[in-house]
Amino acid sequence: MYDLVIKNGLICTASDLYQADIAICNGTIECIAGNIEAHLASEIIDAKGAFVTPGGIDAHVHVDEPLKLLGEVADTMESATRSAVAGGTTTVIAFATQDVSQTGPKALSKSIENTVDEYARQTLYCDYALHLILFQVEKDSLEGRELLGVQLENVYHDYGVTSLKVFMTYPGLQMSDYDILTTMHASRSNGFTTMVHAENGDIIKWMIEDLESKGLLEAYYHGVSRPPAIEGEATNRAIILSSTLQTPILFVHVSSPDAIRTISKAQARGLRVYAETCPQYALLSDEVTKCNHSRALPYVKAEAVDLETHSCGGGDKPYKVENFEGAKYICSPPIRPEGCQQQIWDGINNGTFTIVGSDHCPYYYQDKISKASKHRAYHDGKDGRFRYIPNGLPGVCTRLPLLFTYGYSQGNMKDMMKFVEVNCTNPAKLYGCYPQKGSILPGVSDADLVIWYPPNSTKTEYPSKPTVIRNELLEHACDYTPFEGFEVSNWPRFTIVKGRIVYREGCILSSNATGAYLPRAKSSMCSS
Ligand code: URP
Ligand code: ZN
Ligand code: ZN
Ligand code: ZN
């Protein structure tokens, strides 16, 4: 007997599209065949006319962490995984930030341990893994190299963490080139993936001071302070550092055309350079940060947004709380000017981008404008200046529906196989969880699946099929989505995690939540 059989679906993987039935047993894919007899199944889903894809893997998700070094992120792991499955994502990879009060060979393992312990107390709707955020090398010089090597070895053995992120910007997190080299060296000897946030922090600091001295304080100037070239410069510098050590490198949340060109040239030279981009960079322009966003969003269904909710008329008015709408779209690297978005789609199609992640980093909009905590932009006389607006947008739920609509349906992505490649299969390969995750292979893959609504189904047939993005649909804890009002051509109808339906036609099935921590192997793509 099988636990669940999915019949008549169009199975779509990164390499194939074909009609077959899928049988699931004990949480894994047991067999795929042209016809699996209905009487062999305890439960049957008829997926006639619908795509059946592997569950999405969102390899870039920030949630509330014990140390709160990124401030108070709105989602816990519980609410982030609930939101993930509501949008067809069945594995998230989040971050454990280094706890610098810990020292010695097990220092980084302890940073991971605290995070895993905290999430073990929560109900999780899908599996999650962790990257390490490293922002300090404990010791300088040769001793530091050796210690970091041992610390990473322990993190791998203790927790199956095989990737780390370094920052070339952000006060307090920015690493020197010297420390980045030390980190890449330790990554190389341990087969870790080095993820890089590439922006030149020194130029940004200078630009922020300059803009503030001129009274240019609104959200829009966040983007002005971090122009495309400074992402390009940092990207180039990081490639030089990694090629010096002959170690692979992975750029996260790439938004700048300069960075895309630099990455693509390095790839053409045969360097092992990988890159992630995010839906916001393909779909939004910096017009949204000018606070007249609802008029500026090309994909928004006109009657779906309330144009009267604020009346500032744009970004050139004196700066006031009611002109703060642009703060919803503050992220780093920033949303780029009109004209850059097509280059993101081109990069997805031509392989410059290996994966698409959401960079889900939800801060309550109400907190962004309130005096709620030390991280917020209006506290202590900060007056909402852009430099104090927490950086990050929610997006774990909307990533796949947006990519389906604006990527696949609208022809910005070659085909459905490309959709699966960048959203499901490549993230699994890149981060060492393939073929358990990101594929539909009998005997080896977890039964993490998404059954979409049949693409041409009408609203009358399926009243539950969302056609417009609304914050209430997203199951996250955040009080807004940057994609409010966006029309969508499809949405996951069933999300299945390890053989159990966790999301069905708009409803979360909490009793089927069996998410757990996922230790990973070393990357099959991006490690030495
Ligand atoms: O603005 C962003 N991207 N916030 C999240 C933190 C990061 O740098 O990924
Ligand atoms: Zn970053
Ligand atoms: Zn406005
Ligand atoms: Zn991020």
Side-chain angles (χ1 to χ4, degrees):
M1 258 329 244
Y2 300 118
D3 297 332
L4 175 65
V5 168
I6 300 164
K7 289 196 69 69
N8 308 316
L10 266 175
I11 299 176
C12 184
T13 69
S15 55
D16 297 294
L17 183 61
Y18 60 102
Q19 187 174 327
D21 297 349
I22 302 174
I24 293 164
C25 211
N26 294 327
T28 59
I29 307 286
E30 179 103 348
C31 93
I32 299 176
N35 178 33
I36 298 173
E37 299 283 335
H39 69 267
L40 296 175
S42 304
E43 189 178 355
I44 293 174
I45 296 177
D46 185 5
K48 194 168 168 38
F51 289 120
V52 181
T53 63
I57 300 184
D58 191 341
H60 194 151
V61 172
H62 301 269
V63 304
D64 187 49
E65 287 187 60
L67 287 178
K68 305 195 190 309
L69 279 170
L70 290 181
E72 284 169 27
V73 177
D75 275 317
T76 57
M77 185 56 89
E78 177 164 340
S79 59
T81 52
R82 193 173 63 224
S83 184
V85 299
T89 288
T90 54
T91 305
V92 298
I93 314 185
F95 294 86
T97 306
Q98 176 185 17
D99 176 355
V100 287
S101 70
Q102 306 285 349
T103 55
K106 289 279 191 179
L108 298 175
S109 301
K110 285 183 197 143
S111 305
I112 308 284
E113 183 182 347
N114 289 341
T115 314
V116 171
D117 284 354
E118 168 133 344
Y119 301 155
R121 291 190 279 274
Q122 301 176 16
T123 300
L124 305 182
Y125 292 83
C126 66
D127 288 350
Y128 81 96
L130 291 171
H131 310 289
L132 176 72
I133 288 181
L134 190 82
F135 61 99
Q136 254 179 46
V137 174
E138 195 178 315
K139 285 196 163 80
D140 272 345
S141 73
L142 291 177
E143 211 188 332
R145 284 188 215 176
E146 202 177 315
L147 177 60
L148 185 58
V150 174
Q151 289 172 331
L152 293 190
E153 194 182 336
N154 284 331
V155 160
Y156 171 59
H157 286 295
D158 295 341
Y159 284 100
V161 168
T162 55
S163 49
L164 58 82
K165 180 177 176 189
V166 296
F167 292 87
M168 300 173 85
T169 185
Y170 287 148
L173 294 181
Q174 182 176 338
M175 264 200 186
S176 65
D177 292 354
Y178 182 96
D179 283 349
I180 292 175
L181 270 177
T182 301
T183 306
M184 286 177 172
H185 185 264
S187 281
R188 187 179 72 170
S189 47
N190 283 288
F192 267 49
T193 301
T194 309
M195 305 154 73
V196 179
H197 179 137
E199 290 184 291
N200 182 318
D202 289 358
I203 303 182
I204 292 168
K205 180 170 181 278
W206 197 96
M207 294 286 277
I208 292 174
E209 286 167 4
D210 194 57
L211 289 162
E212 284 191 340
S213 75
K214 294 174 173 135
L216 302 172
L217 310 175
E218 297 95 330
Y220 170 72
Y221 293 102
H222 169 79
V224 177
S225 76
R226 318 168 90 95
I230 68 112
E231 188 186 339
E233 184 281 327
T235 302
N236 188 48
R237 184 156 37 99
I239 289 172
I240 289 168
L241 297 175
S242 70
S243 62
T244 304
L245 291 183
Q246 296 181 315
T247 189
I249 187 173
L250 162 62
F251 292 98
V252 290
H253 50 42
V254 174
S255 77
S256 136
D258 308 51
I260 298 173
R261 266 195 308 278
T262 305
I263 290 165
S264 167
K265 271 193 200 152
Q267 290 169 338
R269 283 169 53 210
L271 296 176
R272 291 175 67 198
V273 174
Y274 299 88
E276 170 206 70
T277 191
C278 314
Q280 53 271 33
Y281 300 128
L283 293 170
L284 302 174
S285 83
D286 65 354
E287 287 296 307
V288 295
T289 63
K290 286 183 183 164
C291 195
N292 54 351
H293 69 100
S294 40
R295 296 163 193 86
L297 293 172
Y299 308 114
V300 166
K301 200 176 165 87
E303 59 273 28
V305 291
D306 176 8
L307 295 181
E308 304 309 319
T309 49
H310 60 278
S311 53
C312 66
D316 53 349
K317 292 280 166 69
Y319 196 54
K320 292 195 202 112
V321 174
E322 54 270 28
N323 296 5
F324 204 57
E325 196 74 5
K328 289 181 175 174
Y329 305 88
I330 295 297
C331 58
S332 294
I335 305 292
R336 297 300 181 188
E338 199 69 56
C340 298
Q341 294 69 30
Q342 189 53 46
Q343 295 177 60
I344 300 285
W345 290 119
D346 293 345
I348 292 173
N349 270 322
N350 67 27
T352 306
F353 291 117
T354 322
I355 63 168
V356 177
S358 70
D359 196 6
H360 179 78
C361 189
Y363 294 101
Y364 291 111
Y365 179 59
Q366 280 312 315
D367 279 5
K368 287 188 182 193
I369 62 171
S370 79
K371 298 181 171 61
S373 90
K374 66 188 165 103
H375 304 291
R376 307 308 175 204
Y378 272 87
H379 195 57
D380 292 339
K382 286 171 186 163
D383 293 333
R385 280 181 270 165
F386 72 80
R387 82 147 88 196
Y388 297 116
I389 301 171
N391 289 197
L393 321 173
V396 71
C397 185
T398 45
R399 181 183 66 122
L400 293 184
L402 286 171
L403 268 277
F404 192 106
T405 303
Y406 297 100
Y408 166 67
S409 297
Q410 297 203 356
N412 280 314
M413 270 183 172
K414 281 199 273 248
D415 50 35
M416 266 306 279
M417 290 175 279
K418 189 73 188 173
F419 172 90
V420 172
E421 179 188 306
V422 296
N423 290 313
C424 316
T425 309
N426 276 357
K429 290 180 176 171
L430 191 58
Y431 289 115
C433 44
Y434 181 88
Q436 182 186 351
K437 304 290 187 187
S439 61
I440 311 180
L441 290 172
V444 288
S445 301
D446 283 354
D448 290 354
L449 299 165
V450 181
I451 304 172
W452 298 80
Y453 284 90
N456 299 322
S457 61
T458 64
K459 228 179 149 215
T460 354
E461 277 175 281
Y462 296 108
S464 55
K465 179 179 176 181
T467 55
V468 171
I469 292 179
R470 297 275 187 203
N471 197 46
E472 315 77 91
L473 291 174
L474 308 186
E475 299 283 345
H476 60 195
C478 197
D479 55 356
Y480 80 98
T481 165
F483 304 107
E484 184 77 31
F486 271 51
E487 296 193 85
V488 279
S489 63
N490 209 338
W491 197 271
R493 188 167 169 217
F494 297 88
T495 304
I496 297 167
V497 173
K498 293 183 286 191
R500 288 160 166 253
I501 301 168
V502 287
Y503 176 83
R504 178 171 54 207
E505 298 174 344
C507 296
I508 294 281
L509 306 180
S510 300
S511 55
N512 282 343
T514 57
Y517 177 68
L518 177 74
R520 291 178 288 131
K522 291 173 184 178
S523 171
S524 54
M525 273 183 171
C526 189
S527 75
S528 298

